């Protein structure tokens, strides 16, 4: 396994109501990542993911594209220290 890392992403555009969270969950699980994805009250989608740095880079590439009906307009990425606090990758349904 490579270097563990953590990334916090906020995605803007047409990203709610287009299955973006489930797209993110499927990609994260396929890459062996842990963390969560949720819709925010402001219309954006937020993702917090941990895992191998190379896998996270691939994940970011997928998130930038999004599912077929999405239109990603802005993409904020913040790299953070890996904590190992998550056991899997979840879709969260509450902002906060």
């Amino acid at each position: 396994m490579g270097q563990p890392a953590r990334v916090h992403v906020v995605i803007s555009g047409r990203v709610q109501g287009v299955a973006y969270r489930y797209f993110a969950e499927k990609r994260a699980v396929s890459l062996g990542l842990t963390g969560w994805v949720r819709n925010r009250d402001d219309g954006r989608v937020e993702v917090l993911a941990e895992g191998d740095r190379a896998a996270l880079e691939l994940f970011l590439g997928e998130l930038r594209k999004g599912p077929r009906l999405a239109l990603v307009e802005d993409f904020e990425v913040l790299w953070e220290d890996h904590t190992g606090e998550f056991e899997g990758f979840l879709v969260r349904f509450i902002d906060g």
Side-chain angles (χ1 to χ4, degrees):
M1 184 168 153
Q3 181 69 29
R6 175 181 179 124
V7 68
H8 189 179
V9 189
V10 179
I11 306 105
S12 303
R14 188 174 63 231
V15 292
Q16 290 191 13
V18 293
Y20 195 98
R21 289 176 299 166
Y22 300 100
F23 170 87
E25 177 191 34
K26 184 176 180 180
R27 297 304 189 276
V29 169
S30 73
L31 291 166
L33 303 176
T34 61
W36 50 260
V37 58
R38 69 180 174 194
N39 283 346
R40 292 173 45 137
D41 289 340
D42 62 8
R44 298 184 293 172
V45 169
E46 183 175 13
V47 178
L48 187 62
E50 291 191 340
D52 178 76
R53 174 80 185 221
L56 287 168
E57 295 281 3
L58 291 172
F59 185 52
L60 289 174
E62 291 292 314
L63 292 179
R64 285 184 199 278
K65 296 175 198 171
R68 185 173 55 85
L69 297 175
L71 177 60
V72 174
E73 294 175 353
D74 193 32
F75 200 80
E76 302 169 27
V77 177
L78 177 64
W79 289 96
E80 302 173 351
D81 292 333
H82 181 269
T83 66
E85 68 185 277
F86 306 112
E87 293 186 18
F89 196 92
L90 303 172
V91 174
R92 288 193 173 171
F93 295 97
I94 298 172
D95 181 10

Coordinates of all heavy atoms in Angstrom, one line a residue:
M1 N 0.8 -1.2 0.0 CA 0.0 0.0 0.0 C 0.9 1.2 0.0 O 1.9 1.3 0.6 CB -0.9 0.0 1.2 CG -1.9 1.1 1.3 SD -3.2 0.8 2.5 CE -3.6 2.5 2.9
G2 N 0.4 2.3 -0.7 CA 1.2 3.5 -0.8 C 0.9 4.4 0.4 O 0.5 4.0 1.5
Q3 N 1.2 5.7 0.2 CA 1.1 6.7 1.2 C -0.4 7.0 1.6 O -1.2 7.3 0.7 CB 1.7 8.0 0.7 CG 1.7 9.1 1.7 CD 2.5 8.9 2.9 OE1 3.6 8.3 2.8 NE2 2.2 9.5 4.0
P4 N -0.8 6.8 2.9 CA -2.2 7.1 3.2 C -2.4 8.6 3.3 O -1.5 9.4 3.6 CB -2.3 6.5 4.6 CG -1.0 6.4 5.2 CD 0.0 6.3 4.0
A5 N -3.6 9.0 2.9 CA -4.0 10.4 2.8 C -5.4 10.6 3.0 O -6.2 9.6 3.1 CB -3.6 11.0 1.4
R6 N -5.8 11.8 3.2 CA -7.3 12.2 3.4 C -7.5 13.4 2.5 O -6.7 14.4 2.4 CB -7.5 12.5 4.8 CG -8.8 13.0 5.2 CD -8.8 13.3 6.7 NE -10.1 13.8 7.2 CZ -10.8 13.3 8.2 NH1 -10.3 12.2 8.8 NH2 -11.9 13.8 8.6
V7 N -8.7 13.4 1.9 CA -9.1 14.6 1.0 C -10.5 15.0 1.4 O -11.4 14.1 1.6 CB -8.9 14.2 -0.5 CG1 -9.9 13.2 -0.9 CG2 -9.0 15.5 -1.3
H8 N -10.7 16.3 1.4 CA -12.0 16.9 1.7 C -12.4 17.7 0.4 O -11.6 18.5 0.0 CB -11.9 17.8 2.9 CG -13.2 18.3 3.4 ND1 -13.4 19.1 4.5 CD2 -14.5 18.1 3.0 CE1 -14.6 19.4 4.7 NE2 -15.3 18.8 3.8
V9 N -13.5 17.3 -0.2 CA -13.9 17.9 -1.5 C -15.3 18.5 -1.4 O -16.2 17.9 -0.8 CB -13.9 16.9 -2.6 CG1 -14.1 17.5 -3.9 CG2 -12.6 16.1 -2.5
V10 N -15.5 19.7 -1.9 CA -16.8 20.3 -2.1 C -17.0 20.5 -3.6 O -16.2 21.2 -4.2 CB -17.0 21.6 -1.2 CG1 -18.4 22.2 -1.4 CG2 -16.7 21.3 0.2
I11 N -18.1 20.0 -4.1 CA -18.4 20.0 -5.5 C -19.6 20.9 -5.8 O -20.7 20.7 -5.1 CB -18.6 18.6 -6.1 CG1 -17.4 17.7 -5.8 CG2 -18.8 18.7 -7.6 CD1 -17.7 16.7 -4.7
S12 N -19.5 21.8 -6.7 CA -20.6 22.7 -7.1 C -21.1 22.5 -8.5 O -20.3 22.0 -9.3 CB -20.2 24.2 -6.9 OG -19.7 24.5 -5.7
G13 N -22.3 22.8 -8.8 CA -22.9 22.7 -10.1 C -24.2 21.9 -10.0 O -24.9 22.0 -9.0
R14 N -24.5 21.2 -11.1 CA -25.7 20.3 -11.1 C -25.3 19.0 -10.5 O -24.9 18.1 -11.3 CB -26.3 20.2 -12.5 CG -27.6 19.5 -12.5 CD -28.3 19.4 -13.8 NE -27.5 18.7 -14.8 CZ -27.2 19.1 -16.0 NH1 -27.6 20.3 -16.4 NH2 -26.5 18.4 -16.8
V15 N -25.2 18.9 -9.2 CA -24.7 17.7 -8.5 C -25.7 17.1 -7.5 O -25.4 16.1 -6.9 CB -23.4 18.0 -7.8 CG1 -22.3 18.3 -8.8 CG2 -23.5 19.2 -6.8
Q16 N -26.9 17.7 -7.3 CA -27.9 17.1 -6.5 C -29.0 16.7 -7.4 O -29.4 17.4 -8.4 CB -28.4 18.1 -5.4 CG -27.3 18.3 -4.4 CD -27.8 19.0 -3.1 OE1 -29.0 19.2 -2.9 NE2 -26.9 19.5 -2.3
G17 N -29.6 15.6 -7.1 CA -30.7 15.1 -7.9 C -30.3 14.3 -9.2 O -31.1 14.1 -10.1
V18 N -29.0 14.0 -9.3 CA -28.5 13.3 -10.5 C -27.7 12.1 -10.1 O -26.9 11.6 -10.8 CB -27.6 14.3 -11.3 CG1 -28.4 15.4 -11.9 CG2 -26.4 14.9 -10.4
A19 N -27.9 11.6 -8.9 CA -27.3 10.3 -8.3 C -25.8 10.5 -8.1 O -25.0 9.6 -8.1 CB -27.5 9.1 -9.3
Y20 N -25.4 11.7 -7.8 CA -23.9 12.0 -7.6 C -23.4 11.3 -6.4 O -22.3 10.7 -6.4 CB -23.7 13.5 -7.5 CG -22.2 13.9 -7.6 CD1 -21.7 14.4 -8.8 CD2 -21.4 13.8 -6.6 CE1 -20.4 14.7 -9.0 CE2 -20.0 14.1 -6.7 CZ -19.6 14.6 -7.9 OH -18.2 14.9 -8.0
R21 N -24.2 11.3 -5.3 CA -23.7 10.6 -4.1 C -23.5 9.1 -4.3 O -22.5 8.6 -3.8 CB -24.7 10.8 -2.9 CG -24.7 12.3 -2.4 CD -25.7 12.4 -1.4 NE -27.1 12.1 -2.0 CZ -28.2 12.0 -1.3 NH1 -28.1 12.0 0.1 NH2 -29.3 11.7 -1.9
Y22 N -24.4 8.5 -5.0 CA -24.3 7.1 -5.3 C -23.1 6.8 -6.2 O -22.4 5.7 -6.1 CB -25.6 6.5 -5.7 CG -26.6 6.7 -4.6 CD1 -27.5 7.8 -4.7 CD2 -26.6 6.0 -3.5 CE1 -28.4 8.0 -3.7 CE2 -27.5 6.2 -2.4 CZ -28.4 7.3 -2.6 OH -29.3 7.5 -1.5
F23 N -22.9 7.6 -7.2 CA -21.8 7.6 -8.1 C -20.5 7.6 -7.3 O -19.6 6.8 -7.4 CB -21.8 8.7 -9.1 CG -20.6 8.9 -9.9 CD1 -20.5 8.2 -11.1 CD2 -19.6 9.8 -9.5 CE1 -19.3 8.4 -11.9 CE2 -18.5 10.0 -10.3 CZ -18.3 9.3 -11.5
A24 N -20.4 8.6 -6.4 CA -19.2 8.7 -5.5 C -19.0 7.5 -4.6 O -17.8 7.0 -4.5 CB -19.3 10.0 -4.7
E25 N -20.0 7.0 -4.0 CA -19.9 5.8 -3.2 C -19.4 4.6 -4.0 O -18.5 3.9 -3.5 CB -21.3 5.5 -2.6 CG -21.3 4.3 -1.7 CD -22.7 3.8 -1.3 OE1 -23.6 4.0 -2.2 OE2 -22.8 3.3 -0.2
K26 N -20.0 4.4 -5.1 CA -19.5 3.3 -5.9 C -18.1 3.4 -6.3 O -17.3 2.4 -6.2 CB -20.4 3.2 -7.2 CG -20.1 2.0 -8.0 CD -21.1 1.9 -9.2 CE -20.8 0.7 -10.1 NZ -21.7 0.6 -11.2
R27 N -17.6 4.6 -6.7 CA -16.2 4.7 -7.1 C -15.3 4.6 -5.9 O -14.3 4.0 -6.0 CB -16.0 6.1 -7.7 CG -16.8 6.4 -9.1 CD -16.4 5.3 -10.1 NE -16.9 5.6 -11.4 CZ -18.2 5.3 -11.8 NH1 -19.0 4.8 -11.0 NH2 -18.5 5.6 -13.1
A28 N -15.7 5.1 -4.8 CA -14.9 5.1 -3.6 C -14.7 3.6 -3.1 O -13.6 3.2 -2.8 CB -15.5 5.9 -2.4
V29 N -15.8 2.9 -3.1 CA -15.7 1.5 -2.7 C -14.9 0.7 -3.7 O -14.0 -0.2 -3.2 CB -17.1 0.9 -2.6 CG1 -17.1 -0.7 -2.4 CG2 -17.9 1.5 -1.4
S30 N -15.0 0.9 -4.9 CA -14.2 0.2 -5.9 C -12.7 0.5 -5.8 O -11.9 -0.3 -6.2 CB -14.6 0.5 -7.4 OG -14.3 1.8 -7.8
L31 N -12.4 1.6 -5.2 CA -10.9 2.0 -5.1 C -10.4 1.7 -3.7 O -9.3 2.0 -3.3 CB -10.8 3.5 -5.3 CG -10.9 3.9 -6.8 CD1 -11.1 5.4 -6.9 CD2 -9.8 3.4 -7.6
G32 N -11.3 1.1 -2.8 CA -10.9 0.8 -1.5 C -10.8 1.9 -0.5 O -10.0 1.9 0.5
L33 N -11.5 3.0 -0.8 CA -11.5 4.2 0.1 C -12.5 4.1 1.2 O -13.5 3.4 1.1 CB -11.7 5.4 -0.8 CG -10.7 5.6 -2.0 CD1 -11.1 6.8 -2.8 CD2 -9.3 5.7 -1.5
T34 N -12.3 4.9 2.2 CA -13.3 5.0 3.3 C -13.7 6.5 3.4 O -13.0 7.4 3.0 CB -12.7 4.5 4.6 OG1 -11.5 5.3 5.0 CG2 -12.3 3.0 4.5
G35 N -14.8 6.7 4.1 CA -15.2 8.1 4.4 C -16.7 8.2 4.1 O -17.5 7.3 4.4
W36 N -17.1 9.4 3.6 CA -18.5 9.6 3.3 C -18.8 10.7 2.2 O -17.8 11.4 1.9 CB -19.3 10.1 4.6 CG -18.6 11.2 5.4 CD1 -17.8 11.0 6.5 CD2 -18.7 12.6 5.1 NE1 -17.4 12.3 7.0 CE2 -17.9 13.2 6.1 CE3 -19.3 13.4 4.2 CZ2 -17.8 14.6 6.2 CZ3 -19.2 14.7 4.2 CH2 -18.4 15.4 5.2
V37 N -20.0 10.7 1.8 CA -20.4 11.7 0.8 C -21.8 12.2 1.3 O -22.6 11.4 1.8 CB -20.5 11.2 -0.6 CG1 -21.4 10.0 -0.8 CG2 -20.9 12.3 -1.6
R38 N -22.1 13.5 1.1 CA -23.5 14.0 1.5 C -23.8 15.2 0.6 O -23.0 15.9 0.1 CB -23.5 14.4 3.0 CG -22.6 15.6 3.3 CD -22.7 15.9 4.8 NE -21.8 17.0 5.1 CZ -21.4 17.3 6.3 NH1 -21.9 16.6 7.3 NH2 -20.6 18.3 6.5
N39 N -25.1 15.4 0.5 CA -25.6 16.7 -0.1 C -25.6 17.7 1.0 O -25.8 17.4 2.2 CB -27.1 16.5 -0.5 CG -27.2 15.8 -1.8 OD1 -26.3 15.6 -2.5 ND2 -28.4 15.4 -2.1
R40 N -25.3 19.0 0.6 CA -25.3 20.1 1.5 C -26.5 20.9 1.3 O -27.1 20.9 0.2 CB -24.0 20.9 1.3 CG -22.8 20.2 1.8 CD -21.5 20.9 1.5 NE -21.6 22.4 1.8 CZ -20.6 23.0 2.4 NH1 -19.5 22.4 2.7 NH2 -20.7 24.3 2.6
D41 N -27.0 21.6 2.3 CA -28.1 22.5 2.2 C -28.0 23.6 1.1 O -29.0 24.1 0.6 CB -28.5 23.2 3.5 CG -29.0 22.2 4.5 OD1 -29.5 21.1 4.1 OD2 -28.9 22.5 5.7
D42 N -26.7 23.9 0.8 CA -26.5 25.0 -0.2 C -26.5 24.5 -1.6 O -26.1 25.3 -2.5 CB -25.2 25.7 0.1 CG -24.0 24.9 0.1 OD1 -24.0 23.7 -0.3 OD2 -22.9 25.3 0.5
G43 N -26.8 23.2 -1.9 CA -26.9 22.7 -3.2 C -25.6 22.0 -3.7 O -25.6 21.5 -4.8
R44 N -24.6 22.1 -2.9 CA -23.3 21.4 -3.2 C -23.3 20.0 -2.6 O -24.1 19.6 -1.8 CB -22.1 22.2 -2.8 CG -22.1 23.6 -3.4 CD -20.9 24.4 -3.0 NE -20.9 24.8 -1.6 CZ -19.9 25.4 -1.0 NH1 -18.8 25.6 -1.6 NH2 -20.0 25.6 0.3
V45 N -22.3 19.2 -3.1 CA -22.0 17.9 -2.5 C -20.7 17.9 -1.8 O -19.7 18.6 -2.4 CB -22.1 16.8 -3.6 CG1 -21.5 15.5 -3.1 CG2 -23.5 16.6 -4.2
E46 N -20.6 17.3 -0.7 CA -19.3 17.3 0.1 C -18.9 15.8 0.2 O -19.7 14.9 0.5 CB -19.6 17.9 1.4 CG -18.4 18.0 2.3 CD -18.7 18.7 3.6 OE1 -19.9 18.9 3.9 OE2 -17.8 19.1 4.3
V47 N -17.6 15.6 0.1 CA -17.0 14.3 0.2 C -15.8 14.4 1.1 O -15.0 15.3 1.0 CB -16.5 13.8 -1.2 CG1 -15.8 12.4 -1.1 CG2 -17.6 13.8 -2.2
L48 N -15.6 13.4 2.0 CA -14.5 13.2 2.9 C -14.0 11.8 2.7 O -14.8 10.9 2.9 CB -14.8 13.5 4.3 CG -13.6 13.5 5.3 CD1 -12.6 14.6 4.9 CD2 -14.1 13.7 6.7
A49 N -12.8 11.6 2.2 CA -12.3 10.3 1.8 C -10.9 10.1 2.3 O -10.1 11.0 2.3 CB -12.4 10.0 0.3
E50 N -10.6 8.8 2.7 CA -9.3 8.4 3.1 C -8.9 7.2 2.4 O -9.7 6.4 2.0 CB -9.2 8.2 4.6 CG -9.4 9.4 5.4 CD -9.0 9.1 6.9 OE1 -9.1 8.0 7.4 OE2 -8.8 10.1 7.6
G51 N -7.6 7.0 2.2 CA -7.0 5.8 1.6 C -5.7 6.1 1.0 O -5.0 7.1 1.3
D52 N -5.3 5.2 0.1 CA -4.0 5.4 -0.6 C -4.0 6.7 -1.4 O -5.0 6.9 -2.1 CB -3.8 4.2 -1.5 CG -2.5 4.2 -2.3 OD1 -1.5 4.0 -1.7 OD2 -2.7 4.5 -3.5
R53 N -3.0 7.5 -1.4 CA -2.9 8.7 -2.1 C -3.2 8.6 -3.6 O -3.9 9.3 -4.2 CB -1.6 9.4 -1.9 CG -1.3 10.7 -2.7 CD -2.0 11.8 -2.0 NE -1.8 13.0 -2.9 CZ -1.6 14.2 -2.4 NH1 -1.4 14.4 -1.1 NH2 -1.5 15.3 -3.2
A54 N -2.6 7.5 -4.2 CA -2.8 7.3 -5.6 C -4.3 7.0 -5.9 O -4.9 7.5 -6.9 CB -1.9 6.2 -6.1
A55 N -4.9 6.2 -5.1 CA -6.4 5.9 -5.2 C -7.2 7.1 -5.1 O -8.2 7.3 -5.8 CB -6.8 4.8 -4.3
L56 N -6.8 8.0 -4.1 CA -7.6 9.2 -3.9 C -7.4 10.2 -5.2 O -8.4 10.8 -5.5 CB -7.1 10.0 -2.7 CG -7.5 9.3 -1.4 CD1 -6.7 9.9 -0.2 CD2 -9.0 9.5 -1.1
E57 N -6.3 10.2 -5.8 CA -6.1 11.0 -7.0 C -7.0 10.4 -8.1 O -7.6 11.2 -8.8 CB -4.6 10.9 -7.5 CG -3.7 11.6 -6.5 CD -3.6 13.1 -6.6 OE1 -4.4 13.7 -7.4 OE2 -2.8 13.7 -5.9
L58 N -7.1 9.1 -8.3 CA -8.0 8.6 -9.3 C -9.5 8.9 -8.9 O -10.3 9.3 -9.8 CB -7.9 7.0 -9.3 CG -6.6 6.5 -9.9 CD1 -6.5 5.0 -9.7 CD2 -6.5 6.8 -11.3
F59 N -9.8 8.8 -7.6 CA -11.2 9.2 -7.2 C -11.5 10.7 -7.5 O -12.6 11.0 -8.0 CB -11.2 9.0 -5.7 CG -12.6 9.2 -5.0 CD1 -13.7 8.5 -5.5 CD2 -12.7 9.9 -3.9 CE1 -14.9 8.7 -4.9 CE2 -13.9 10.1 -3.3 CZ -15.0 9.5 -3.8
L60 N -10.6 11.6 -7.3 CA -10.8 13.0 -7.6 C -11.1 13.1 -9.1 O -11.9 13.9 -9.5 CB -9.6 13.8 -7.2 CG -9.4 14.0 -5.7 CD1 -8.1 14.8 -5.4 CD2 -10.6 14.7 -5.1
G61 N -10.4 12.4 -9.9 CA -10.6 12.5 -11.4 C -12.0 12.0 -11.7 O -12.7 12.7 -12.6
E62 N -12.5 11.0 -11.1 CA -13.9 10.5 -11.3 C -14.9 11.5 -10.7 O -15.9 11.8 -11.4 CB -14.1 9.2 -10.6 CG -13.3 8.0 -11.2 CD -13.9 7.7 -12.6 OE1 -15.1 7.6 -12.8 OE2 -13.1 7.5 -13.5
L63 N -14.6 12.1 -9.6 CA -15.5 13.1 -9.0 C -15.7 14.4 -9.9 O -16.7 15.0 -10.0 CB -15.1 13.5 -7.6 CG -15.2 12.5 -6.5 CD1 -14.7 13.0 -5.2 CD2 -16.6 12.0 -6.4
R64 N -14.6 14.7 -10.6 CA -14.6 15.9 -11.4 C -15.5 15.7 -12.6 O -16.1 16.6 -13.1 CB -13.2 16.2 -12.0 CG -12.3 16.9 -11.0 CD -10.9 17.2 -11.6 NE -9.9 17.4 -10.6 CZ -9.7 18.6 -9.9 NH1 -10.5 19.6 -10.1 NH2 -8.8 18.7 -9.0
K65 N -15.6 14.4 -13.1 CA -16.5 14.1 -14.2 C -17.9 13.9 -13.7 O -18.9 14.5 -14.3 CB -16.1 12.8 -14.8 CG -14.7 12.8 -15.5 CD -14.4 11.4 -16.0 CE -12.9 11.2 -16.2 NZ -12.6 9.9 -16.5
G66 N -18.1 13.2 -12.6 CA -19.5 12.9 -12.0 C -20.2 12.0 -12.9 O -19.8 11.5 -13.9
P67 N -21.5 11.7 -12.5 CA -22.3 10.8 -13.3 C -22.8 11.5 -14.5 O -22.7 12.7 -14.7 CB -23.5 10.5 -12.3 CG -23.5 11.6 -11.4 CD -22.1 12.1 -11.2
R68 N -23.4 10.7 -15.4 CA -23.8 11.2 -16.7 C -24.7 12.5 -16.7 O -24.4 13.4 -17.5 CB -24.6 10.1 -17.4 CG -25.0 10.4 -18.8 CD -25.6 9.2 -19.5 NE -26.8 8.7 -18.8 CZ -28.0 9.1 -18.9 NH1 -28.3 10.1 -19.8 NH2 -29.0 8.6 -18.3
L69 N -25.6 12.7 -15.7 CA -26.5 13.8 -15.7 C -25.9 15.0 -14.9 O -26.5 16.1 -14.9 CB -27.8 13.4 -15.2 CG -28.6 12.4 -16.0 CD1 -29.9 12.0 -15.3 CD2 -28.9 13.0 -17.4
A70 N -24.8 14.8 -14.3 CA -24.2 15.9 -13.5 C -23.4 16.9 -14.4 O -23.0 16.6 -15.5 CB -23.2 15.3 -12.5
L71 N -23.3 18.1 -13.8 CA -22.5 19.1 -14.5 C -21.7 19.8 -13.4 O -22.2 20.6 -12.6 CB -23.3 20.2 -15.2 CG -22.6 21.4 -15.8 CD1 -21.6 20.9 -16.8 CD2 -23.5 22.4 -16.4
V72 N -20.4 19.4 -13.2 CA -19.5 19.9 -12.2 C -19.0 21.3 -12.7 O -18.4 21.4 -13.7 CB -18.4 18.9 -11.9 CG1 -17.4 19.5 -11.0 CG2 -18.9 17.6 -11.4
E73 N -19.3 22.3 -11.9 CA -18.8 23.7 -12.2 C -17.7 24.1 -11.4 O -16.8 24.9 -11.9 CB -20.0 24.6 -12.1 CG -21.1 24.3 -13.1 CD -22.3 25.2 -12.9 OE1 -22.4 26.0 -11.9 OE2 -23.2 25.2 -13.7
D74 N -17.6 23.7 -10.1 CA -16.5 24.1 -9.2 C -16.1 23.0 -8.4 O -17.0 22.1 -8.0 CB -16.9 25.3 -8.4 CG -15.7 26.0 -7.7 OD1 -14.6 26.0 -8.3 OD2 -15.9 26.5 -6.6
F75 N -14.9 22.9 -8.0 CA -14.3 21.7 -7.4 C -13.3 22.2 -6.4 O -12.2 22.5 -6.8 CB -13.7 20.8 -8.5 CG -13.5 19.4 -8.1 CD1 -14.6 18.5 -8.1 CD2 -12.3 18.9 -7.7 CE1 -14.4 17.2 -7.8 CE2 -12.1 17.6 -7.4 CZ -13.2 16.7 -7.4
E76 N -13.6 22.2 -5.1 CA -12.7 22.6 -4.0 C -12.1 21.4 -3.4 O -12.8 20.5 -2.9 CB -13.4 23.4 -3.0 CG -14.1 24.7 -3.6 CD -15.0 25.3 -2.5 OE1 -14.8 25.2 -1.3 OE2 -16.0 25.9 -3.0
V77 N -10.7 21.3 -3.3 CA -10.0 20.2 -2.8 C -9.1 20.7 -1.7 O -8.3 21.6 -1.8 CB -9.2 19.5 -3.9 CG1 -8.4 18.3 -3.3 CG2 -10.1 19.0 -5.0
L78 N -9.2 20.0 -0.5 CA -8.3 20.3 0.6 C -7.7 18.9 1.1 O -8.4 18.0 1.5 CB -9.1 20.9 1.7 CG -8.3 21.2 3.0 CD1 -7.2 22.2 2.8 CD2 -9.2 21.8 4.1
W79 N -6.4 18.8 1.0 CA -5.7 17.6 1.5 C -5.5 17.8 3.0 O -5.1 18.9 3.5 CB -4.4 17.4 0.8 CG -4.6 17.0 -0.6 CD1 -4.6 17.8 -1.7 CD2 -4.8 15.7 -1.1 NE1 -4.8 17.0 -2.9 CE2 -5.0 15.7 -2.5 CE3 -5.0 14.4 -0.5 CZ2 -5.2 14.6 -3.3 CZ3 -5.2 13.3 -1.3 CH2 -5.3 13.4 -2.6
E80 N -5.7 16.7 3.7 CA -5.6 16.7 5.2 C -4.8 15.5 5.6 O -4.5 14.6 4.8 CB -7.0 16.7 5.8 CG -7.9 17.9 5.4 CD -9.3 17.8 5.9 OE1 -9.7 16.7 6.5 OE2 -10.1 18.8 5.8
D81 N -4.5 15.5 6.9 CA -3.8 14.3 7.5 C -4.8 13.1 7.6 O -5.9 13.3 8.0 CB -3.2 14.6 8.9 CG -2.1 15.7 8.8 OD1 -1.4 15.7 7.8 OD2 -1.9 16.4 9.8
H82 N -4.3 12.0 7.2 CA -5.0 10.7 7.4 C -5.3 10.4 8.8 O -4.4 10.6 9.7 CB -4.2 9.6 6.7 CG -4.8 8.3 6.8 ND1 -4.6 7.4 7.8 CD2 -5.7 7.7 5.9 CE1 -5.3 6.3 7.5 NE2 -6.0 6.4 6.4
T83 N -6.5 10.0 9.2 CA -6.8 9.7 10.6 C -7.1 8.2 10.8 O -7.0 7.7 11.9 CB -8.0 10.5 11.1 OG1 -9.2 10.1 10.3 CG2 -7.8 12.0 10.9
G84 N -7.6 7.5 9.8 CA -8.0 6.1 9.9 C -9.3 5.9 10.7 O -9.6 4.8 11.1
E85 N -10.1 7.0 10.8 CA -11.3 6.9 11.6 C -12.5 6.2 10.9 O -13.5 5.8 11.6 CB -11.8 8.3 12.0 CG -12.3 9.1 10.8 CD -12.6 10.6 11.2 OE1 -13.7 10.8 11.8 OE2 -11.7 11.4 11.1
F86 N -12.5 5.9 9.7 CA -13.6 5.3 9.0 C -13.4 3.8 8.7 O -12.3 3.4 8.4 CB -13.9 6.0 7.6 CG -14.0 7.5 7.8 CD1 -13.1 8.4 7.2 CD2 -15.1 8.1 8.5 CE1 -13.2 9.7 7.4 CE2 -15.3 9.4 8.6 CZ -14.3 10.3 8.0
E87 N -14.5 3.1 8.7 CA -14.4 1.6 8.4 C -14.9 1.3 7.0 O -14.6 0.3 6.5 CB -15.2 0.9 9.4 CG -14.6 0.9 10.8 CD -15.4 0.0 11.8 OE1 -16.1 -0.9 11.4 OE2 -15.2 0.2 13.0
G88 N -15.7 2.2 6.4 CA -16.2 2.0 5.1 C -16.5 3.3 4.5 O -16.1 4.3 5.0
F89 N -17.3 3.3 3.4 CA -17.7 4.5 2.7 C -19.2 4.6 2.7 O -19.8 3.7 2.2 CB -17.1 4.6 1.3 CG -17.1 6.0 0.7 CD1 -16.1 6.8 0.9 CD2 -18.3 6.5 0.1 CE1 -16.1 8.1 0.4 CE2 -18.4 7.8 -0.4 CZ -17.3 8.6 -0.3
L90 N -19.7 5.7 3.2 CA -21.2 5.8 3.4 C -21.8 7.0 2.7 O -21.1 8.1 2.5 CB -21.5 6.0 4.9 CG -21.0 4.9 5.8 CD1 -21.3 5.4 7.3 CD2 -21.7 3.6 5.5
V91 N -23.0 6.9 2.3 CA -23.8 8.1 1.8 C -24.5 8.6 3.1 O -25.2 7.9 3.7 CB -24.8 7.7 0.8 CG1 -25.8 8.8 0.4 CG2 -24.2 7.1 -0.5
R92 N -24.2 9.9 3.4 CA -24.9 10.5 4.5 C -26.1 11.3 4.0 O -26.0 11.9 2.9 CB -23.9 11.4 5.3 CG -22.9 10.6 6.1 CD -22.1 11.6 7.0 NE -21.3 10.8 7.9 CZ -20.4 11.3 8.7 NH1 -20.3 12.7 8.8 NH2 -19.6 10.6 9.4
F93 N -27.1 11.4 4.8 CA -28.3 12.1 4.4 C -28.6 13.4 5.1 O -29.6 14.0 4.9 CB -29.5 11.1 4.5 CG -29.4 9.9 3.6 CD1 -28.9 8.7 4.1 CD2 -29.7 10.1 2.3 CE1 -28.7 7.7 3.2 CE2 -29.6 9.0 1.4 CZ -29.1 7.8 1.9
I94 N -27.7 13.8 6.1 CA -27.9 15.0 6.8 C -26.7 15.9 6.7 O -25.6 15.4 6.9 CB -28.2 14.6 8.3 CG1 -29.5 13.8 8.4 CG2 -28.3 15.9 9.2 CD1 -29.7 13.2 9.8
D95 N -27.0 17.1 6.4 CA -25.9 18.1 6.3 C -25.6 18.6 7.8 O -26.5 19.1 8.4 CB -26.3 19.3 5.5 CG -25.2 20.4 5.3 OD1 -24.1 20.1 5.8 OD2 -25.5 21.5 4.8
G96 N -24.4 18.4 8.2 CA -24.1 18.9 9.6 C -23.4 17.9 10.4 O -23.1 16.8 10.0

